Amino acid sequence: MSSPIVRFAPSPTGKLHVGNVRTALINWLFAKGQGGTFILRIDDTDTERSTQAYEDGLKADLTWLGLVWDDTFNQSKRFGMYDAAADKLRDMGLLYACYETADELDRKRKIALSRGRPPVYDRAALNLTDEDKAKYEAEGRKPHWRFKLSGERVEWNDLVRGPQSIDTASVSDPVLIREDGSYLYTLPSVVDDIDAKITHVVRGEDHVTNSGAQIEIFKALGGTAPDMAHTPLLVDAEGGAFSKRLGSLSMDTLEARGIFPMAILSHLAKLGTSDNIEARDSLDVLASEFAFSKIGRAPAKFDERDLLALNATLVHAMPFEAVKAQLEAISPEAANERFWLAVRENCQTVNDAKDFADIAYGQIEPIVDAEDQDFIKQASDLLPEGEINSETWKNWTGALKEASGRKGRGLFMPLRKALTGQEHGPDMGVILPLIGREAVVRRLSKA
Ligand code: GLU
């Protein structure tokens, strides 16, 4: 097989979220695993809703993730090609003018449904005479244009879904061009796929029905349809529709929360497949493990807890140099290796280190309740001599337990409150050496 050429085709009408990143990733892994080509096509034919800012944003996100593209182009620069393809289809009698208004179409659909028939467009416009059309035009109506489906079955062997068969007699002839002359997605996509010699169209299963029509358009325009792979959609952890949550799952939000690209990529690559969900440290490894045959038919459940767990495994092994910049953003004191190596095991994201940094290096207000004052004085006296290390907390509280007779919460909570100013927080054994002897003594002396 020659090397695959694939495309990821987002519309720049919003931010990338985990759902469309997954489509990009599957395309990338499939192509790059075989030395193929990954093209980024910007589907900006909807010039009203597309913006340069969204386009820049999605390119920045793909770059952050490492999903680099070999080539990119914008559909908005290619209207001449789409016009030529539309003319060709018109000449072949496969693109016909329709004059129904949205209301009229709606009425037709309702009548069909009330008669127990599928709400398929009745092709009334195919019978319009030149006179009828002239009359409509004189009324100020503009045509929209439909592609004439063959009425036969379109079949393909989907790389994820297996053998597919769409009866084009049971779907409406798709509108390719709107009244205002603008293109819907269907035709430009086929024109571009032919032009870019796309070998595999890999996208979400919401496009399966489109594929029936698009395969016919490929053939009409003299191309052969690429192979197709339609992946199940993402759902949330409860199996529900996911769209409402997408705002919190855009790449910039995840980045701001301290989630690493490889956590996102590992999760999305393994989700809904027969492989275990485990973190990998490079896209190349994910590519070497990728196969369409591993992708199941059930919706893929995206669970943020799994994403965080994967991120945590990456964080626990992350060397200081790799997170230095993120730690600097937390505080100058946090950007030191000793601090990072002490806290990383307790962090799910790099940002979690902030709690440790605040307590170790920030201004805290010790809390000592009246009934704990003597206990805290006792603690101060029993603090082991010398540099505080990872054993100090255990030894210190062991000695205090014996001396005071306190145990459990009564033993630990007053110390936590005096040393951190909070009732909750990180592991004291980890934080104590970072606070350091001088500050520990100072905080205890507030009692
Ligand atoms: N712009 C289309 C979408 O985002 C592309 C679909 C395709 O891959 O063909 O749904």
Side-chain angles (χ1 to χ4, degrees):
M1 189 178 87
S2 58
S3 303
I5 305 174
V6 301
R7 83 297 192 281
F8 170 54
S11 298
T13 53
K15 288 182 184 178
L16 281 193
H17 52 66
V18 289
N20 34 43
V21 167
R22 176 161 169 265
T23 301
L25 174 63
I26 293 173
N27 272 285
W28 197 98
L29 295 176
F30 170 66
K32 291 297 164 182
Q34 300 169 71
T37 304
F38 175 76
I39 295 174
L40 173 61
R41 184 181 89 198
I42 306 293
D43 280 9
D44 55 355
T45 52
D46 184 344
T47 46
E48 298 265 293
R49 288 174 59 227
S50 301
T51 72
Q52 187 64 43
Y54 282 133
E55 180 180 331
D56 294 346
L58 72 88
K59 286 179 172 167
D61 288 343
L62 291 174
T63 306
W64 178 67
L65 291 163
L67 298 175
V68 286
W69 53 92
D70 300 293
D71 195 7
T72 181
F73 61 87
N74 290 59
Q75 289 196 318
S76 60
K77 303 264 160 49
R78 298 159 69 90
F79 287 119
M81 287 176 66
Y82 311 144
D83 292 345
D87 285 343
K88 188 168 169 184
L89 294 177
R90 265 185 214 106
D91 289 348
M92 296 168 83
L94 292 176
L95 189 63
Y96 62 98
C98 303
Y99 290 86
E100 293 93 344
T101 63
D103 281 349
E104 285 163 355
L105 288 172
D106 198 40
R107 214 171 312 136
K108 283 189 184 196
R109 268 192 297 269
K110 283 185 181 140
I111 291 171
L113 284 171
S114 72
R115 294 186 182 155
R117 288 205 302 260
V120 175
Y121 177 60
D122 62 6
R123 293 185 157 173
L126 279 177
N127 301 324
L128 295 177
T129 61
D130 286 347
E131 270 170 25
D132 296 331
K133 293 182 192 173
K135 212 173 119 232
Y136 281 132
E137 305 261 348
E139 283 173 15
R141 290 202 194 195
K142 294 255 181 296
H144 57 274
W145 298 82
R146 288 186 191 261
F147 178 73
K148 193 170 160 221
L149 292 165
S150 68
E152 287 161 16
R153 283 194 170 273
V154 174
E155 301 190 331
W156 75 94
N157 196 6
D158 197 279
L159 292 167
V160 174
R161 297 165 61 86
Q164 299 293 297
S165 170
I166 296 210
D167 177 11
T168 62
S170 69
V171 278
S172 296
D173 288 340
V175 176
L176 301 189
I177 306 174
R178 300 186 186 90
E179 281 81 3
D180 64 2
S182 66
Y183 285 94
L184 283 103
Y185 138 88
T186 316
L187 177 64
S189 183
V190 171
V191 171
D192 290 335
D193 286 346
I194 294 173
D195 186 53
K197 302 190 171 53
I198 297 301
T199 59
H200 296 76
V201 167
V202 181
R203 57 189 176 188
E205 66 182 11
D206 49 333
H207 285 291
V208 168
T209 312
N210 283 343
S211 292
Q214 285 186 323
I215 287 173
E216 293 209 329
I217 299 174
F218 273 110
K219 292 193 176 139
L221 292 176
T224 25
D227 286 339
M228 304 247 167
H230 292 89
T231 57
L233 301 182
L234 286 191
V235 291
D236 66 22
E238 284 72 45
F242 185 58
S243 45
K244 284 161 269 149
R245 301 258 12 256
L246 288 179
S248 67
L249 293 168
S250 61
M251 293 307 110
D252 50 356
T253 338
L254 293 175
E255 183 180 7
R257 282 171 57 193
I259 310 287
F260 289 123
M262 279 317 301
I264 300 169
L265 297 167
S266 301
H267 191 25
L268 292 176
K270 299 299 179 189
L271 204 68
T273 75
S274 51
D275 284 347
N276 292 335
I277 297 188
E278 287 166 358
R280 297 284 182 260
D281 55 17
S282 79
L283 273 165
D284 289 341
V285 175
L286 289 176
S288 71
E289 294 171 346
F290 176 83
F292 281 119
S293 59
K294 292 182 178 176
I295 301 178
R297 292 286 307 271
K301 278 193 184 166
F302 180 89
D303 191 335
E304 268 181 84
R305 287 165 295 192
D306 292 341
L307 177 63
L308 269 175
L310 288 187
N311 204 62
T313 41
L314 294 172
V315 168
H316 298 170
M318 199 57 74
F320 171 66
E321 285 304 324
V323 295
K324 194 170 167 200
Q326 281 162 280
L327 292 172
E328 261 157 14
I330 290 175
S331 81
E333 295 93 338
N336 81 75
E337 187 162 15
R338 179 170 161 262
F339 170 77
W340 176 243
L341 295 183
V343 303
R344 68 179 181 181
E345 285 286 337
N346 298 275
C347 297
Q348 286 193 305
T349 71
V350 178
N351 292 1
D352 289 347
K354 185 174 185 324
D355 288 347
F356 292 91
D358 286 349
I359 289 168
Y361 308 120
Q363 286 302 324
I364 72 118
E365 220 26 77
I367 301 173
V368 180
D369 297 334
E371 71 267 25
D372 293 326
Q373 290 206 343
D374 292 342
F375 172 69
I376 293 296
K377 285 209 180 72
Q378 195 176 18
S380 191
D381 295 340
L382 286 176
L383 183 67
E385 292 295 317
E387 191 72 9
I388 292 178
N389 59 35
S390 58
E391 297 300 301
T392 306
W393 175 253
K394 208 171 78 220
N395 296 338
W396 183 30
T397 51
L400 253 175
K401 183 178 176 182
E402 227 162 84
S404 67
R406 291 192 183 212
K407 56 185 190 326
R409 194 182 153 86
L411 174 68
F412 297 115
M413 186 55 78
L415 291 172
R416 177 181 289 283
K417 281 164 42 180
L419 290 167
T420 72
Q422 298 172 26
E423 291 196 4
H424 304 282
D427 187 332
M428 291 302 295
V430 174
I431 198 75
L432 203 65
L434 298 170
I435 299 174
R437 183 168 195 93
E438 197 192 311
V440 167
V441 171
R442 186 167 10 97
R443 291 177 190 182
L444 293 175
S445 73
K446 298 268 166 74

